[in-house]
Amino acid sequence: MAPAAPFNPPSANRPGKPFVPEWVPPPATKEKHNFAKLKSIDLSLLDSDDPAVVDNLIKLVKVAIRDDGFLFLENYGISLEQLHHQFALAQYLYKNISDEDKERLLFDPDTGVWSGYKHPYGFKRDRGIPDGIEQFNWYKPDWADTGRVPTCLHPFMDEIEEFCNYLTKSVNRRLLTLFSRVLELPDDYLWDNVQSHGSPTGEGYFRHALFRPVQKQTEELAKGLRMHGHTDFGLTTLLFSVPISCLQIWGRDEQWYYVPYKPGALVINIGDTLEIVSGGHFKATRHRVFKPPVDQLHEERLSLVLFNSSVGELRMAPAEESPLIQREGCVEEQGVYKEFKNLTAQGKNVPTNRQWREIQISTATDPTDTVRNRVGADQVVIDGKVVHQREYMGVKVILPV
C-alpha cells in the first residue's frame, strides 16, 4: 500500500478566527504502582519496504489484541503540536459554550445516541446527581449542520472536521489493515465490509470530554467510579493518551490497572464488533473510568475520543472466510462472542449493530445509581465475586464492577 501522508490541517490562523489559548498538559502522576504494561505499535512501520519489518509488526499486533485488547499506537501521522491544538479547541469549548447552547443542544440518550451536549449531572437527559463529566459528541447529522454544534466552535469546524477525517480515513483505515492482516484477509476487508462510512466519523462519533474533580458525595455514592466497567460496542476506539490517570483496564489476573501516560500516543481498544467478526480472536477491552491517583484528585481531565462504528444494519458474525478462523476455529474465552454464537445456534437473529449500540446507550445507568447498582438488580454474585450483569435483546453481558 502507498505510504500514508501526514496530517495537514487547515490553518489555525485564518483571518476572523478567535484566539485560542494554548492547552498546557497537567503534570502526570508520580504514582508507579498499579499501572498496566501495554504494547506499543509503530504504525509507520506498515509503510516499510522490508517485508520482515511488516511481518514482525503484524505478529506484535496479533499478540497485543489477543492478550490485552488494548495497545498504544505511535507515529500515526499527527504531530504532538497538532494534537495539542485539538486539545486547545476542546478546552476552548468548555470555557466558552453558552448556557443557551447547553440547553439547545442537550443530549437525549433515550434516542440511542449521545449526540449533543452532556451536562455534568449523569448520563440521562434529566439531571441527576452531579458527576462532573461534560461532553460534546458529534454524529453524522452534527457534521452536516453547524446549527447542531456550539456556536463558539463554528469558526473552528474546518479544523475539527479534518482532524476526524484523518483519524477515520487514514489512522483507523491503516489500523484496520493491520487487523485484517492478522485475520489473514485482504488489507481492506474490515474497511470495506465492516467499517461504516458517509461522514468524518461514519456512523460512529467524536467526543470532547471534560472530567472535573468529583464532589465528595458523588465519590462516596459511586465508590470512586466515574464510568462503569464496560466494553465499547463498536469497532475500534481511538483515545488520545492524557496525563490524568483515570482510564483503567481489566487484567488477566482479574484486577484493574491504570493506563499509563504516553505523550502523543493513541490508546486503541477493541470493541464488541471486532471481537465477534474475529470469532473471538480479538478481545473486546474491559475498561472503566475511575478516580485518579491521590496526587491528581484536584486536576481536570480533558479527553478526545473517536468511536468507530460498523455498518448499522449489519448483523455481527465471524468472518468465516478468514484463514485464521478456518485453521484455528473460534475462541470462546470471554465476552459477547460466545453469547452471539449461542443465539445463532438456536436459530435466533442476533441484534444488528445499530440495535446493539442504541439499546446500551438508551439504558445506561450512572455509577451513583444505588437502585440499579446492587445485587438483585444489575449486579449478581458469580463464584463469590460481585459482577455487573445486563441483558440486551437476549444477549447477556457480564462485566467486572
Side-chain angles (χ1 to χ4, degrees), residues 41 58 61-62 65 69 71 172-187 190 235-236 268-270 274 278 282 324:
I41 303 300
I58 303 302
V61 170
K62 184 176 183 178
I65 56 182
L71 53 86
N172 192 55
R173 184 170 186 170
R174 284 178 280 154
L175 184 64
L176 293 181
T177 295
L178 287 175
F179 294 162
S180 292
R181 290 191 186 185
V182 171
L183 293 171
E184 302 171 24
L185 290 165
D187 282 1
L190 292 172
L235 191 60
T236 57
I268 306 296
N269 71 288
I270 304 300
L274 204 48
S278 72
F282 300 171
L324 174 69

Short mmCIF file of all heavy atoms in Angstrom, two decimals, residues 41 58 61-62 65 69 71 172-187 190 235-236 268-270 274 278 282 324:
data_model
loop_
_atom_site.label_atom_id
_atom_site.label_comp_id
_atom_site.label_asym_id
_atom_site.label_seq_id
_atom_site.Cartn_x
_atom_site.Cartn_y
_atom_site.Cartn_z
N ILE A 41 2.60 0.04 19.32
CA ILE A 41 2.69 -0.27 17.90
C ILE A 41 3.11 0.99 17.14
O ILE A 41 2.48 2.05 17.29
CB ILE A 41 1.33 -0.76 17.36
CG1 ILE A 41 0.85 -2.00 18.12
CG2 ILE A 41 1.42 -1.04 15.86
CD1 ILE A 41 1.78 -3.18 18.06
N ILE A 58 2.93 -7.21 12.32
CA ILE A 58 1.68 -7.97 12.37
C ILE A 58 1.69 -8.95 13.55
O ILE A 58 0.69 -9.10 14.26
CB ILE A 58 1.44 -8.74 11.05
CG1 ILE A 58 1.43 -7.79 9.85
CG2 ILE A 58 0.14 -9.54 11.12
CD1 ILE A 58 0.41 -6.70 9.92
N VAL A 61 1.09 -6.98 16.76
CA VAL A 61 -0.31 -6.58 16.85
C VAL A 61 -1.17 -7.77 17.26
O VAL A 61 -2.06 -7.65 18.12
CB VAL A 61 -0.80 -6.01 15.50
CG1 VAL A 61 -2.32 -5.83 15.50
CG2 VAL A 61 -0.12 -4.69 15.19
N LYS A 62 -0.89 -8.92 16.69
CA LYS A 62 -1.67 -10.13 16.99
C LYS A 62 -1.59 -10.47 18.47
O LYS A 62 -2.61 -10.77 19.12
CB LYS A 62 -1.14 -11.30 16.15
CG LYS A 62 -1.93 -12.59 16.30
CD LYS A 62 -1.39 -13.64 15.33
CE LYS A 62 -2.19 -14.93 15.40
NZ LYS A 62 -1.69 -15.94 14.43
N ILE A 65 -3.55 -7.63 20.67
CA ILE A 65 -5.01 -7.63 20.68
C ILE A 65 -5.58 -8.93 21.22
O ILE A 65 -6.72 -8.97 21.68
CB ILE A 65 -5.59 -7.32 19.29
CG1 ILE A 65 -5.08 -8.29 18.25
CG2 ILE A 65 -5.28 -5.89 18.90
CD1 ILE A 65 -5.60 -8.00 16.85
N GLY A 69 -6.32 -6.57 24.25
CA GLY A 69 -7.39 -5.81 23.62
C GLY A 69 -7.12 -4.32 23.64
O GLY A 69 -7.91 -3.53 23.13
N LEU A 71 -3.87 -1.34 23.17
CA LEU A 71 -2.48 -1.11 22.76
C LEU A 71 -2.26 0.38 22.54
O LEU A 71 -3.20 1.14 22.35
CB LEU A 71 -2.14 -1.92 21.50
CG LEU A 71 -3.04 -1.78 20.26
CD1 LEU A 71 -2.61 -0.61 19.39
CD2 LEU A 71 -2.99 -3.06 19.43
N ASN A 172 -7.44 5.11 11.29
CA ASN A 172 -8.24 3.91 11.54
C ASN A 172 -8.20 2.95 10.36
O ASN A 172 -8.21 1.73 10.54
CB ASN A 172 -9.69 4.28 11.86
CG ASN A 172 -10.48 3.11 12.40
OD1 ASN A 172 -10.09 2.48 13.37
ND2 ASN A 172 -11.59 2.79 11.74
N ARG A 173 -8.14 3.49 9.16
CA ARG A 173 -8.07 2.59 7.99
C ARG A 173 -6.78 1.77 8.03
O ARG A 173 -6.80 0.56 7.76
CB ARG A 173 -8.14 3.39 6.70
CG ARG A 173 -8.17 2.50 5.46
CD ARG A 173 -8.48 3.27 4.20
NE ARG A 173 -8.62 2.37 3.06
CZ ARG A 173 -9.07 2.75 1.87
NH1 ARG A 173 -9.44 4.01 1.66
NH2 ARG A 173 -9.17 1.87 0.89
N ARG A 174 -5.66 2.40 8.38
CA ARG A 174 -4.40 1.65 8.48
C ARG A 174 -4.45 0.65 9.63
O ARG A 174 -3.92 -0.46 9.53
CB ARG A 174 -3.23 2.62 8.66
CG ARG A 174 -2.82 3.34 7.38
CD ARG A 174 -1.70 4.33 7.64
NE ARG A 174 -2.19 5.57 8.20
CZ ARG A 174 -1.46 6.39 8.96
NH1 ARG A 174 -0.21 6.06 9.27
NH2 ARG A 174 -1.96 7.52 9.41
N LEU A 175 -5.10 1.05 10.72
CA LEU A 175 -5.25 0.13 11.85
C LEU A 175 -6.06 -1.09 11.44
O LEU A 175 -5.70 -2.24 11.77
CB LEU A 175 -5.93 0.87 13.00
CG LEU A 175 -6.09 0.13 14.32
CD1 LEU A 175 -4.74 -0.20 14.93
CD2 LEU A 175 -6.93 0.96 15.30
N LEU A 176 -7.14 -0.87 10.70
CA LEU A 176 -7.96 -1.99 10.23
C LEU A 176 -7.21 -2.85 9.22
O LEU A 176 -7.47 -4.05 9.11
CB LEU A 176 -9.27 -1.47 9.63
CG LEU A 176 -10.24 -0.81 10.62
CD1 LEU A 176 -11.51 -0.36 9.90
CD2 LEU A 176 -10.60 -1.75 11.77
N THR A 177 -6.28 -2.24 8.49
CA THR A 177 -5.42 -3.03 7.61
C THR A 177 -4.59 -4.01 8.42
O THR A 177 -4.48 -5.20 8.07
CB THR A 177 -4.48 -2.10 6.80
OG1 THR A 177 -5.27 -1.30 5.92
CG2 THR A 177 -3.48 -2.91 5.98
N LEU A 178 -4.02 -3.53 9.52
CA LEU A 178 -3.26 -4.42 10.40
C LEU A 178 -4.14 -5.56 10.92
O LEU A 178 -3.73 -6.73 10.91
CB LEU A 178 -2.69 -3.63 11.58
CG LEU A 178 -1.52 -2.69 11.32
CD1 LEU A 178 -1.18 -1.91 12.59
CD2 LEU A 178 -0.30 -3.47 10.85
N PHE A 179 -5.34 -5.22 11.36
CA PHE A 179 -6.23 -6.24 11.91
C PHE A 179 -6.69 -7.22 10.83
O PHE A 179 -6.84 -8.42 11.09
CB PHE A 179 -7.44 -5.58 12.57
CG PHE A 179 -7.10 -4.77 13.81
CD1 PHE A 179 -7.99 -3.84 14.31
CD2 PHE A 179 -5.89 -4.94 14.46
CE1 PHE A 179 -7.69 -3.10 15.44
CE2 PHE A 179 -5.58 -4.20 15.60
CZ PHE A 179 -6.48 -3.28 16.09
N SER A 180 -6.91 -6.71 9.62
CA SER A 180 -7.27 -7.61 8.51
C SER A 180 -6.14 -8.59 8.23
O SER A 180 -6.38 -9.78 7.97
CB SER A 180 -7.58 -6.80 7.24
OG SER A 180 -8.77 -6.04 7.38
N ARG A 181 -4.92 -8.10 8.30
CA ARG A 181 -3.78 -8.99 8.05
C ARG A 181 -3.63 -10.03 9.15
O ARG A 181 -3.23 -11.17 8.88
CB ARG A 181 -2.50 -8.17 7.91
CG ARG A 181 -2.46 -7.34 6.64
CD ARG A 181 -1.07 -6.76 6.40
NE ARG A 181 -1.07 -5.85 5.25
CZ ARG A 181 0.01 -5.27 4.76
NH1 ARG A 181 1.20 -5.51 5.32
NH2 ARG A 181 -0.07 -4.46 3.73
N VAL A 182 -3.95 -9.65 10.39
CA VAL A 182 -3.92 -10.65 11.46
C VAL A 182 -4.91 -11.77 11.15
O VAL A 182 -4.63 -12.96 11.39
CB VAL A 182 -4.25 -10.00 12.82
CG1 VAL A 182 -4.45 -11.07 13.90
CG2 VAL A 182 -3.13 -9.05 13.24
N LEU A 183 -6.06 -11.41 10.60
CA LEU A 183 -7.07 -12.40 10.22
C LEU A 183 -6.74 -13.07 8.89
O LEU A 183 -7.50 -13.92 8.42
CB LEU A 183 -8.45 -11.74 10.14
CG LEU A 183 -9.04 -11.25 11.46
CD1 LEU A 183 -10.29 -10.42 11.22
CD2 LEU A 183 -9.35 -12.42 12.39
N GLU A 184 -5.61 -12.65 8.28
CA GLU A 184 -5.13 -13.20 7.00
C GLU A 184 -6.12 -12.95 5.88
O GLU A 184 -6.32 -13.78 4.99
CB GLU A 184 -4.80 -14.69 7.16
CG GLU A 184 -3.76 -14.96 8.24
CD GLU A 184 -3.58 -16.43 8.57
OE1 GLU A 184 -3.89 -17.27 7.71
OE2 GLU A 184 -3.15 -16.73 9.70
N LEU A 185 -6.73 -11.78 5.94
CA LEU A 185 -7.70 -11.35 4.94
C LEU A 185 -7.11 -10.21 4.11
O LEU A 185 -6.09 -9.63 4.48
CB LEU A 185 -8.98 -10.87 5.64
CG LEU A 185 -9.82 -11.96 6.31
CD1 LEU A 185 -10.84 -11.34 7.26
CD2 LEU A 185 -10.52 -12.81 5.25
N PRO A 186 -7.72 -9.86 2.97
CA PRO A 186 -7.23 -8.72 2.19
C PRO A 186 -7.15 -7.46 3.04
O PRO A 186 -7.93 -7.27 3.98
CB PRO A 186 -8.27 -8.59 1.07
CG PRO A 186 -8.84 -9.96 0.92
CD PRO A 186 -8.85 -10.55 2.31
N ASP A 187 -6.22 -6.58 2.69
CA ASP A 187 -5.95 -5.40 3.51
C ASP A 187 -7.19 -4.59 3.85
O ASP A 187 -7.34 -4.10 4.96
CB ASP A 187 -4.94 -4.49 2.79
CG ASP A 187 -3.51 -5.00 2.92
OD1 ASP A 187 -3.31 -6.07 3.55
OD2 ASP A 187 -2.60 -4.34 2.40
N LEU A 190 -11.81 -5.31 6.43
CA LEU A 190 -12.58 -4.70 7.52
C LEU A 190 -13.06 -3.29 7.14
O LEU A 190 -14.17 -2.89 7.48
CB LEU A 190 -11.75 -4.65 8.80
CG LEU A 190 -11.44 -6.01 9.43
CD1 LEU A 190 -10.45 -5.86 10.58
CD2 LEU A 190 -12.72 -6.68 9.93
N LEU A 235 -16.43 -0.77 16.72
CA LEU A 235 -15.36 -1.48 16.03
C LEU A 235 -14.02 -1.24 16.73
O LEU A 235 -13.42 -2.15 17.30
CB LEU A 235 -15.32 -0.99 14.58
CG LEU A 235 -14.47 -1.75 13.57
CD1 LEU A 235 -14.92 -3.19 13.45
CD2 LEU A 235 -14.54 -1.05 12.20
N THR A 236 -13.55 0.00 16.69
CA THR A 236 -12.33 0.40 17.40
C THR A 236 -12.59 1.74 18.07
O THR A 236 -13.41 2.53 17.61
CB THR A 236 -11.14 0.56 16.44
OG1 THR A 236 -11.47 1.53 15.43
CG2 THR A 236 -10.76 -0.75 15.78
N ILE A 268 -5.62 2.48 21.85
CA ILE A 268 -6.57 1.78 20.98
C ILE A 268 -7.23 0.66 21.77
O ILE A 268 -6.54 -0.14 22.41
CB ILE A 268 -5.87 1.17 19.75
CG1 ILE A 268 -5.06 2.23 19.00
CG2 ILE A 268 -6.88 0.47 18.85
CD1 ILE A 268 -5.87 3.32 18.39
N ASN A 269 -8.55 0.63 21.74
CA ASN A 269 -9.19 -0.55 22.31
C ASN A 269 -10.17 -1.17 21.33
O ASN A 269 -10.72 -0.51 20.45
CB ASN A 269 -9.83 -0.26 23.67
CG ASN A 269 -11.05 0.59 23.61
OD1 ASN A 269 -10.97 1.77 23.35
ND2 ASN A 269 -12.21 0.00 23.84
N ILE A 270 -10.32 -2.45 21.48
CA ILE A 270 -11.14 -3.27 20.59
C ILE A 270 -12.58 -3.27 21.08
O ILE A 270 -12.83 -3.43 22.27
CB ILE A 270 -10.61 -4.72 20.56
CG1 ILE A 270 -9.14 -4.76 20.16
CG2 ILE A 270 -11.45 -5.60 19.65
CD1 ILE A 270 -8.84 -4.19 18.81
N LEU A 274 -15.61 -5.99 16.64
CA LEU A 274 -14.37 -6.62 16.18
C LEU A 274 -14.14 -7.96 16.88
O LEU A 274 -13.59 -8.89 16.29
CB LEU A 274 -13.19 -5.68 16.40
CG LEU A 274 -11.96 -5.88 15.51
CD1 LEU A 274 -12.34 -6.01 14.05
CD2 LEU A 274 -10.98 -4.74 15.71
N SER A 278 -13.98 -11.26 14.48
CA SER A 278 -12.76 -12.06 14.55
C SER A 278 -13.00 -13.45 15.14
O SER A 278 -12.05 -14.22 15.33
CB SER A 278 -11.71 -11.34 15.40
OG SER A 278 -12.06 -11.36 16.77
N PHE A 282 -9.90 -11.56 18.67
CA PHE A 282 -9.63 -10.24 19.22
C PHE A 282 -10.49 -10.07 20.46
O PHE A 282 -11.67 -10.45 20.45
CB PHE A 282 -9.97 -9.13 18.22
CG PHE A 282 -9.21 -9.19 16.93
CD1 PHE A 282 -9.56 -8.36 15.88
CD2 PHE A 282 -8.15 -10.06 16.74
CE1 PHE A 282 -8.88 -8.39 14.68
CE2 PHE A 282 -7.45 -10.10 15.54
CZ PHE A 282 -7.82 -9.26 14.50
N LEU A 324 -7.33 -17.64 9.28
CA LEU A 324 -7.02 -17.84 10.70
C LEU A 324 -8.18 -18.54 11.40
O LEU A 324 -7.97 -19.51 12.15
CB LEU A 324 -6.75 -16.49 11.37
CG LEU A 324 -6.55 -16.53 12.89
CD1 LEU A 324 -5.24 -17.23 13.25
CD2 LEU A 324 -6.58 -15.12 13.49
#
